[in-house]
């Protein structure tokens, strides 16, 4: 029997710890930049800030779904450490230039460069980790830690921004962010990163095809696709509409913007912290569907609020709506890693996490431009109604695709001759065509399709 499972924490590895800290610092830098960018857009565009933000964030998502896979496919050809360091330094430089912007198109150019560097960083970082952490369990934990860090960033950076904005102007946020990227670069310089020696298993492009195939064939993951859309629909209100809603409708200031974002972050944190125990008891599906219903309720309340006339109570209501959206988001994002782990063999996990990365960004790529442009031409009410319809569609997909009864272990059939007999030692021969096999079921080369009860019943009847 093997002992000491506690040593599977990846944080005992100093190189990993440095890289992880650099990754988190970079994430927070990007998050703070997003808050500051919203305020900058308002300074330049006023009432049209939503369109500017919608365009800037759409550029970001376009870059993410195009650049990240391409760089990922070639990530093992660059000397990795200099590459990662220079990506941090590029981001620091771009962020330092942002306060000097006085034209809207300059925002778009700098965002494109900033996000290209970010999009190139993620797959390279992901490719480095298995070389630093050859142990399978440590690596799986590292994947989860990265996902959790991304979640924590979305909720904590608005709060940091809110705190910072009470003592300084938003231009200083950009300076703080640049310092963060410089620290990240220094951490990467001091970490030992092996260059690729052996051939890695498949390019990022191949790995992403594997991930997409698993997504398409696994019912609970098809459900997750719908949930990605719900998160993006409600999240777009927070990301794009907060500035205009606070400044134009509520008549608030910079710190008012940060306060609503902080309420959103607080809701996220509240649920993320209390969720693990509930998850153990209920499982992922009811928790995530409740989260989706919460987001739809949040959008509904936002629509109701958009009809309200002036009144001090609108602040309290807006804070409640933004916090509700944060809570619903956390209820969907927190269990996502667990759902992905459950749906893949260890070897396919990087591919599946990469596929989720791309597919969730596709959802944002749909909702950001809709939110940005529709708000400017048609106002909050129409935009939020459209987003609520999208969210309702996402919920319908999730409920339909992800069956309520979703057991880990499933009985299924293997046709004689389609699978290595050595894999079927524990299988039962039912007739001259089929073996019946029972084990924890995930999509892989030997199990390309989800088992249906119908096929099983036919074989038993035959
Ligand atoms: Zn099997």
């Amino acid at each position: 029997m093997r002992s000491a499972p506690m040593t599977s924490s990846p944080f005992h590895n100093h190189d990993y710890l440095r890289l992880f800290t650099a990754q988190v610092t970079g994430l927070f830098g990007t998050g703070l930049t997003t808050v500051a960018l919203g305020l900058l857009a308002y300074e330049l565009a006023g009432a049209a800030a939503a369109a500017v933000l919608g365009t800037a964030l759409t550029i970001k998502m376009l870059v993410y779904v195009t650049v990240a896979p391409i760089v990922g496919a070639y990530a093992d050809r660059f000397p990795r450490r200099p590459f990662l360091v220079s990506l941090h330094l590029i981001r620091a430089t771009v962020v330092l230039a942002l306060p000097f912007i006085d034209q809207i198109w300059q925002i778009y150019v700098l965002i494109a460069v900033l996000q290209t560097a970010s999009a190139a960083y993620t797959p390279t970082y992901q490719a480095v980790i298995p070389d630093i952490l050859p142990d399978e369990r440590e690596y799986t934990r590292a994947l989860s830690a990265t996902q959790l860090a991304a979640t924590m960033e979305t909720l904590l950076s608005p709060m940091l921004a809110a705190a910072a904005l009470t003592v300084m102007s938003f231009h200083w946020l950009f300076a703080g962010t640049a310092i963060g990227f410089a620290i990240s670069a220094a951490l990467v310089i001091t970490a030992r990163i092996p260059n690729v020696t052996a051939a890695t298993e498949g390019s990022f492009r191949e790995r992403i095809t594997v991930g997409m195939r698993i997504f398409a064939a696994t019912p609970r993951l098809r459900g997750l696709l719908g949930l990605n859309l719900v998160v993006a629909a409600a999240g777009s209100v927070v990301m794009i509409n907060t500035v205009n809603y606070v400044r134009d409708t509520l008549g608030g200031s910079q710190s008012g913007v940060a306060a609503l974002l902080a309420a959103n972050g607080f809701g996220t944190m509240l649920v993320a912290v209390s969720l693990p125990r509930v998850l153990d008891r209920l499982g992922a599906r009811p928790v995530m569907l409740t989260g989706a219903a919460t987001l739809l309720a949040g959008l509904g309340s936002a629509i109701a609020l958009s009809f309200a006339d002036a009144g001090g109570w609108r602040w309290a209501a807006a804070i409640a709506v933004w916090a509700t959206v944060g809570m619903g988001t956390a209820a969907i994002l927190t269990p996502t890693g667990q759902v992905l782990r459950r749906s893949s063999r260890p070897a396919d996990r990087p591919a599946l996490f990469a596929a989720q990365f791309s597919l969730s960004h596709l959802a944002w790529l749909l909702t950001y431009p809709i939110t940005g442009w529709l708000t400017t031409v048609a106002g909050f009410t129409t935009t939020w109604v459209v987003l609520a319809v999208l969210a309702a569609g996402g919920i319908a997909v999730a409920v339909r695709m992800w069956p309520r009864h979703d057991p880990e272990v499933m009985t299924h059939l293997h046709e004689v001759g389609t699978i290595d007999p050595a894999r079927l030692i524990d299988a039962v021969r039912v007739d001259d065509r089929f073996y019946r096999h029972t084990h924890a079921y995930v999509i892989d080369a030997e199990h390309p399709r989800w088992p249906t009860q119908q096929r099983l019943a036919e074989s038993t009847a035959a």
Side-chain angles (χ1 to χ4, degrees):
M1 204 138 172
R2 275 214 278 167
S3 61
M6 292 309 290
T7 55
S8 67
S9 165
F11 295 103
H12 294 294
N13 183 314
H14 286 240
D15 294 315
Y16 175 71
L17 189 59
R18 287 202 179 95
L19 281 182
F20 181 76
T21 313
Q23 161 86 346
V24 171
T25 317
L27 273 172
F28 274 90
T30 315
L32 287 179
T33 307
T34 310
V35 177
L37 190 69
L39 298 168
L40 180 62
Y42 188 80
E43 199 170 81
L44 294 176
V52 174
L53 281 175
T55 309
L57 291 170
T58 304
I59 292 172
K60 169 182 172 173
M61 290 306 154
L62 273 174
V63 165
Y64 264 68
V65 298
T66 54
V67 174
I70 294 168
V71 173
Y74 298 103
D76 33 11
R77 312 219 176 145
F78 305 113
R80 288 156 149 188
R81 191 164 62 180
F83 186 58
L84 289 175
V85 170
S86 51
L87 289 176
H88 276 306
L89 294 179
I90 289 171
R91 289 193 278 183
T93 314
V94 169
V95 168
L96 276 181
L98 281 168
F100 301 103
I101 277 180
D102 51 10
Q103 300 288 323
I104 287 164
W105 64 265
Q106 295 166 337
I107 293 190
Y108 299 151
V109 172
L110 285 183
I111 286 302
V113 178
L114 179 71
Q115 299 300 341
T116 303
S118 292
Y121 190 87
T122 304
T124 314
Y125 172 80
Q126 282 174 338
V128 164
I129 301 306
D131 291 347
I132 294 183
L133 302 171
D135 181 273
E136 181 68 53
R137 287 171 306 170
E138 283 187 12
Y139 176 54
T140 304
R141 289 230 191 157
L143 276 180
S144 304
T146 303
Q147 232 231 341
L148 190 66
T151 311
M152 295 301 278
E153 181 272 309
T154 56
L155 62 101
L156 286 178
S157 45
M159 286 207 250
L160 274 178
L165 285 173
T166 57
V167 293
M168 60 176 83
S169 91
F170 76 85
H171 286 104
W172 286 101
L173 275 187
F174 289 121
T177 306
I179 292 168
F181 284 126
I183 292 173
S184 297
L187 283 164
V188 176
I189 289 175
T190 58
R192 269 168 308 174
I193 301 174
N195 279 324
V196 183
T197 46
T200 44
E201 39 168 324
S203 67
F204 187 84
R205 216 174 307 180
E206 284 164 37
R207 285 193 281 124
I208 213 156
T209 333
V210 171
M212 295 294 179
R213 215 177 309 136
I214 298 174
F215 246 98
T218 308
R220 79 176 73 88
L221 294 182
R222 284 187 229 145
L224 182 59
L225 284 182
L227 295 172
N228 282 337
L229 182 62
V230 184
V231 168
S236 292
V237 174
V238 174
M239 293 294 287
I240 293 180
N241 292 140
T242 306
V243 172
N244 282 122
Y245 189 71
V246 168
R247 309 220 51 174
D248 299 340
T249 305
L250 296 178
S253 63
Q254 274 181 24
S255 44
V257 173
L260 271 203
L261 291 174
N264 180 255
F266 181 74
T268 314
M269 188 158 63
L270 203 65
V271 169
V273 165
S274 52
L275 207 54
R277 237 179 287 165
V278 186
L279 258 180
D280 283 344
R281 213 175 50 236
L282 297 178
R285 187 182 185 269
V287 169
M288 293 170 91
L289 287 179
T290 307
T294 308
L295 289 179
L296 188 59
L299 281 168
S301 318
I303 293 165
L305 192 59
S306 72
F307 287 112
D309 292 331
W313 63 272
R314 279 190 312 177
W315 268 105
I319 281 176
V321 168
W322 261 243
T324 305
V325 170
M327 292 196 284
T329 305
I332 293 177
L333 290 186
T334 314
T336 297
Q338 184 194 319
V339 171
L340 294 174
R341 277 199 299 282
R342 233 192 104 182
S343 308
S344 53
R345 314 181 282 150
D348 289 333
R349 268 172 208 158
L352 195 56
F353 275 82
Q356 163 66 7
F357 183 81
S358 297
L359 291 169
S360 58
H361 283 97
L362 275 180
W364 291 101
L365 189 54
L366 178 71
T367 57
Y368 276 156
I370 290 177
T371 312
W373 296 321
L374 208 54
T375 304
T376 317
V377 297
F380 293 128
T381 311
T382 312
T383 308
W384 294 348
V385 166
V386 170
L387 290 173
V389 169
L390 281 176
I395 293 177
V397 168
V399 171
R400 249 187 88 84
M401 292 296 175
W402 189 347
R404 191 190 304 248
H405 180 64
D406 182 24
E408 198 137 340
V409 172
M410 296 186 82
T411 299
H412 53 279
L413 299 171
H414 287 288
E415 206 163 336
V416 175
T418 60
I419 180 172
D420 181 3
R423 309 292 297 261
L424 294 171
I425 299 167
D426 52 345
V428 181
R429 184 81 182 243
V430 281
D431 53 28
D432 54 349
R433 268 191 75 200
F434 291 111
Y435 288 99
R436 189 164 41 225
H437 205 196
T438 305
H439 55 84
Y441 199 92
V442 297
I443 297 294
D444 59 18
E446 274 118 22
H447 303 86
R449 266 191 307 265
W450 204 252
T452 60
Q453 288 308 311
Q454 197 192 352
R455 251 184 106 199
L456 199 63
E458 276 167 19
S459 86
T460 328

